[in-house]
Amino acid sequence: MTITVGPTDTPTGAGVGLSEQAQTRTRTFADLVEETGHLKNRTRVLVEDSTQLHQDSARLYDETLEQLLRTATGDRVKESVEKLLSHLSQLGFAWRDVARLAGVSVPALRKWRTGERATGDNHRRVAELVAFCDIVRQQYLIDEVASWLEVPLMPHVPVTGLDFLAVPRFDLLFRWASDLQVDPEELLDDFRPDWRSEYSSSIEVFVASDGQRGLRFKDAT
Amino acid sequence: MPDELEAPDDPEDLYLARGPEVILARPLLTGDVLDGIVIPGLDDAPGLAIIVTHPCSMRRDGVDLADRLLTARVEAYQPVAPEQWKGHWKVMPLPTLMPTPAGHLAARLDKIGLVPSGVVAAATRIACLTPYGVNLLQQRFIWHLTRFCASTSRLNETCAAVFEEADLHEEWVAHRVAAGSEVAAAAAEFHAWIRSEDSDSVRRQERLIDPQRLAGIRREMRRELGH
């Protein structure tokens, strides 16, 4: 079987100047296979190129965010620890969370709040936390940043943005903040590959008839 | 691993405050370690004891302590390495609780008794556990009694609101006491505020169940305190 192409009534730009014979040659399925194969290869190359471009731009984005965080931290560290803690207080952070993120005890944090000096490293950690909140609020319009950080990513998996911060994994937090399509499971896979088995449980929380919360096996009704 | 007895990565994760770090502004709660306690039913001398009453049962009306609180004796015990926490079912190890000539300490879950809350309230508090420490204590106590293992993350879901309220209570009272109030008066003031309704006619105390609401309640409380 053959397919006959043309001639066309009105020559296209590509056809202008070609002989009548060239326009009317018969093409075979073999020709089509070759052409579509070529097209497929070109498409694959384009996909690979665009994937690479996406990865490169994502890496560049992460690097610029890290640089932005460093710069913002450098600005914030000029403020006293007391003032930085006041910012976090106004955002609604729990002191026990701030203490954990700063790597100190709650009593040590209490002393900072009343004016006692922190070490340089601790001061920088608190400044970095405030700078991170600045970026998330300004770049991604997440105004309730403390709430955003302390709500678990998924129901019944006790991992929150605060856990990412404690490590710290700013890259995951920025991805979570910037990408509306991001799947929380992907973030958890990156953060803690064993999270599915670690947090699987045969028990669940329920509200008892007296209003108190209790535990029971999942198949109990 | 899920539903297995757990161990802290670092013993420091167990303690919110020890010795002089403990402040009166913090309400009595499960996991508080007290000195000079006589536990009825145990034929021993006054000594260290830890509150093991469930956090939700500490107060009969959400404000005043229950008449009696369940406590367990804290005494010298062999060191328990992290990998050994799956055993030693009769104790809650309390490593680094305090320096003692007797060595390490542990709460004896087989030496328990009810102590009048007045005695507990008047005793010297030498340590408070973190929420994670309280959850571990509960996990081991439940295991000791029933051989049922509840993960600390699930236990935390049942008690998180109580832990949050204790933190808010401490912050409120510490702030008011620094401004010249008495502890009891400041505590009463806090209880009135946390049990009052917010602008949506919902009691603030009920809001503490929802993690999404916590930052807002803290901000509101800090504004109320004039921070």
Side-chain angles (χ1 to χ4, degrees):
Chain A
M1 181 177 175
T2 59
I3 298 173
T4 304
V5 181
T8 56
D9 294 338
T10 307
T12 62
V16 172
L18 293 178
S19 66
E20 184 79 5
Q21 185 183 2
Q23 289 187 45
T24 59
R25 80 173 177 82
T26 299
R27 297 168 67 198
T28 64
F29 273 127
D31 292 334
L32 273 181
V33 166
E34 186 179 335
E35 285 173 22
T36 52
H38 179 64
L39 186 63
K40 191 179 75 168
N41 287 339
R42 283 185 60 199
T43 311
R44 180 175 51 77
V45 170
L46 279 173
V47 168
E48 287 172 358
D49 284 352
S50 59
T51 302
Q52 185 64 46
L53 188 63
H54 176 70
Q55 288 171 349
D56 289 347
S57 60
R59 192 161 41 246
L60 186 64
Y61 186 65
D62 287 347
E63 286 170 7
T64 52
L65 277 170
E66 283 175 23
Q67 183 59 47
L68 178 63
L69 181 60
R70 278 197 294 274
T71 307
T73 301
D75 287 340
R76 279 297 193 179
V77 84
K78 294 168 189 162
E79 298 175 22
S80 69
V81 172
E82 203 175 343
K83 190 173 176 188
L84 292 169
L85 292 175
S86 176
H87 286 303
L88 296 173
S89 171
Q90 286 165 15
L91 289 173
F93 278 91
W95 294 123
R96 66 171 183 279
D97 291 332
V98 177
R100 177 185 170 214
L101 297 174
V104 298
S105 67
V106 171
L109 192 76
R110 194 186 301 134
K111 290 177 184 170
W112 296 352
R113 281 160 55 200
T114 54
E116 191 165 300
R117 287 175 64 87
T119 66
D121 280 349
N122 289 334
H123 189 162
R124 186 162 192 86
R125 276 198 209 102
V126 179
E128 188 176 56
L129 176 57
V130 176
F132 170 78
C133 294
D134 291 341
I135 293 170
V136 166
R137 297 177 78 204
Q138 290 161 13
Q139 299 281 326
Y140 306 117
L141 306 178
I142 297 175
D143 202 39
E144 294 281 349
V145 62
S147 291
W148 174 66
L149 286 169
E150 68 182 315
V151 173
L153 272 76
M154 293 179 61
H156 310 304
V157 178
V159 177
T160 66
L162 292 168
D163 296 310
F164 290 179
L165 264 183
V167 177
R169 286 293 304 271
F170 291 110
D171 58 324
L172 295 180
L173 287 163
F174 285 134
R175 206 191 319 164
W176 189 25
S178 64
D179 187 352
L180 296 176
Q181 306 294 324
V182 72
D183 182 350
E185 290 197 8
E186 282 178 28
L187 298 176
L188 288 169
D189 286 341
D190 201 335
F191 178 67
R192 186 166 185 168
D194 66 343
W195 67 271
R196 286 181 182 81
S197 59
E198 182 65 25
Y199 298 119
S200 71
S201 176
S202 57
I203 58 176
E204 64 180 2
V205 177
F206 76 106
V207 178
S209 56
D210 63 354
Q212 299 284 1
R213 291 183 157 206
L215 299 176
R216 67 183 177 195
F217 285 109
K218 277 180 177 167
D219 57 0
T221 53
Chain B
M1 291 299 289
D3 302 343
E4 285 185 4
L5 290 177
E6 300 167 36
D9 293 332
D10 181 343
E12 296 301 306
D13 294 343
L14 296 174
Y15 306 105
L16 189 67
R18 278 167 293 183
E21 296 172 343
V22 178
I23 61 172
L24 282 175
R26 186 157 187 88
L28 278 168
L29 194 62
T30 314
D32 286 358
V33 182
L34 310 142
D35 197 8
I37 297 292
V38 174
I39 300 179
L42 299 186
D43 297 324
D44 60 1
L48 296 174
I50 189 168
I51 300 174
V52 292
T53 298
H54 190 272
C56 301
S57 306
M58 287 283 297
R59 289 172 168 75
R60 59 172 178 264
D61 53 3
V63 179
D64 298 312
L65 288 171
D67 291 341
R68 291 175 180 78
L69 298 174
L70 192 60
T71 62
R73 177 63 76 216
V74 173
E75 60 186 24
Y77 193 77
Q78 68 188 85
V80 180
E83 63 275 12
Q84 296 174 319
W85 278 57
K86 286 184 171 54
H88 299 271
W89 294 349
K90 291 181 179 176
V91 302
M92 161 75 180
L94 295 168
T96 72
L97 171 63
M98 58 188 286
T100 162
H104 289 71
L105 296 169
R108 293 295 303 249
L109 304 175
D110 57 347
K111 293 185 177 179
I112 59 174
L114 288 168
V115 176
S117 59
V119 172
V120 172
T124 302
R125 208 167 8 160
I126 65 157
C128 303
L129 298 190
T130 58
Y132 176 61
V134 174
N135 292 331
L136 271 178
L137 172 64
Q138 284 197 80
Q139 181 184 69
R140 298 188 75 81
F141 193 38
I142 295 167
W143 177 261
H144 170 68
L145 295 174
T146 67
R147 299 296 185 267
F148 174 79
C149 188
S151 67
T152 54
S153 60
R154 287 286 181 274
L155 287 165
N156 194 63
E157 282 184 60
T158 66
C159 299
V162 179
F163 297 142
E164 188 63 39
E165 185 173 334
D167 284 357
L168 294 175
H169 179 125
E170 177 184 332
E171 187 173 345
W172 181 294
V173 174
H175 187 271
R176 289 293 199 234
V177 167
S181 295
E182 295 291 327
V183 171
E189 195 183 36
F190 169 76
H191 284 300
W193 181 80
I194 197 71
R195 293 157 79 86
S196 63
E197 293 181 351
D198 62 12
S199 56
D200 295 326
S201 303
V202 177
R203 289 201 332 168
R204 293 180 175 86
Q205 197 173 36
E206 291 168 24
R207 295 284 198 206
L208 299 178
I209 295 169
D210 182 1
Q212 204 163 291
R213 296 280 188 168
L214 299 179
I217 293 174
R218 290 185 208 112
R219 278 200 305 269
E220 191 186 357
M221 186 188 83
R222 287 163 186 166
R223 277 198 301 272
E224 184 79 15
L225 290 172
H227 279 198

